[in-house]
Amino acid sequence: EYEVHGHPSACITKKSPTGVDGDDDDILLELFGNGSAETTLELNEWELGEASAFADNDTVPQDPKVDATWSLSAVGCGAPDFGDRDSMVLGEVVAPDKYSLDACECFGEAYTDTAPVTEDSNSAVPRRRGAKKHGFNSFPVRSQLIAQGPYSCEFDRNSVHLIGLSEQKCEEACKERNAGDAGSCRFYQYSKEGSGFCALLGACDHIGHT
């Protein structure tokens, strides 16, 4: 589970054969139809300014528009050159002195006081007061809208259906059920028709048109 905070990083548009970017073409259709898609990333000016404050200008794009390729296959990666061992760090990432994070990972509680984690970064991590366990980086995540309109998740025998609830009460019922049995309600579906229909779902692997 993760939640992304902050400014939008970039807008993505598809590059047309004429060289003019446009929003009319579906990037995902192109990607899954051909295996790859040529796109343009228009980087947010705030992100560029933030990056410039912490990195060399040579590594930060000067033009907010950057060409990019989406691909279903992984980019090939050659074997590293072990001739330059002095510039390499070798070892298991589980070792206390050897760990790395990608752009979407957060440091764990064991590394709160370990370089390169700064005091500002450590203090910015939310902590649930009085929690005996799972208190680090623990905070309520707001519900995210997946779809609206004539669509429905596929119900199964574990789905719970409630009548006469408001949308807010439906959300609360899902959170209460999940608190008592983790994973039992990861999604909820609400319809305003009639007196209000609420479905509590442990999964939503398929969405169909109703």
Side-chain angles (χ1 to χ4, degrees):
E1 258 181 35
Y2 66 89
E3 183 177 4
V4 178
H5 298 269
H7 297 260
S9 298
C11 292
I12 303 172
T13 57
K14 179 184 171 185
K15 288 185 69 67
S16 67
T18 60
V20 178
D21 300 340
D23 295 325
D24 294 334
D25 296 320
D26 192 314
I27 297 175
L28 292 179
L29 287 178
E30 175 83 9
L31 175 64
F32 285 97
N34 299 329
S36 64
E38 299 298 324
T39 64
T40 297
L41 298 180
E42 186 167 355
L43 302 172
N44 184 292
E45 292 184 3
W46 189 93
E47 291 290 346
L48 290 175
E50 182 76 359
S52 299
F54 294 96
D56 297 332
N57 289 332
D58 294 340
T59 62
V60 179
Q62 300 303 309
D63 188 344
K65 285 192 174 183
V66 180
D67 292 338
T69 300
W70 286 21
S71 177
L72 296 179
S73 58
V75 178
C77 179
D81 181 8
F82 285 100
D84 188 16
R85 285 177 171 265
D86 293 338
S87 64
M88 304 180 71
V89 177
L90 305 178
E92 298 283 339
V93 294
V94 295
D97 61 333
K98 297 180 178 67
Y99 67 98
S100 63
L101 303 174
D102 67 28
C104 293
E105 285 185 309
C106 296
F107 58 88
E109 187 172 10
Y111 298 103
T112 54
D113 299 318
T114 304
V117 176
T118 65
E119 183 177 349
D120 289 341
S121 296
N122 184 20
S123 61
V125 178
R127 289 165 168 82
R128 189 169 55 190
R129 295 181 179 178
K132 295 182 179 180
K133 62 178 182 177
H134 306 309
F136 179 81
N137 201 22
S138 177
F139 54 93
V141 179
R142 290 179 298 176
S143 298
Q144 302 295 312
L145 178 65
I146 297 177
Q148 63 182 0
Y151 305 99
S152 174
C153 292
E154 187 177 79
F155 297 164
D156 58 28
R157 58 187 179 85
N158 295 319
S159 303
V160 176
H161 303 158
L162 304 173
I163 305 295
L165 269 65
S166 64
E167 184 172 357
Q168 181 179 348
K169 291 296 184 182
C170 182
E171 178 181 0
E172 293 174 358
C174 182
K175 291 181 177 180
E176 290 175 2
R177 179 177 174 83
N178 198 52
D181 182 9
S184 62
C185 186
R186 295 187 178 275
F187 302 87
Y188 69 89
Q189 183 170 309
Y190 183 76
S191 173
K192 296 180 180 179
E193 294 185 2
S195 58
F197 174 78
C198 172
L200 308 183
L201 312 168
C204 182
D205 298 328
H206 301 90
I207 297 178
H209 189 280
T210 58

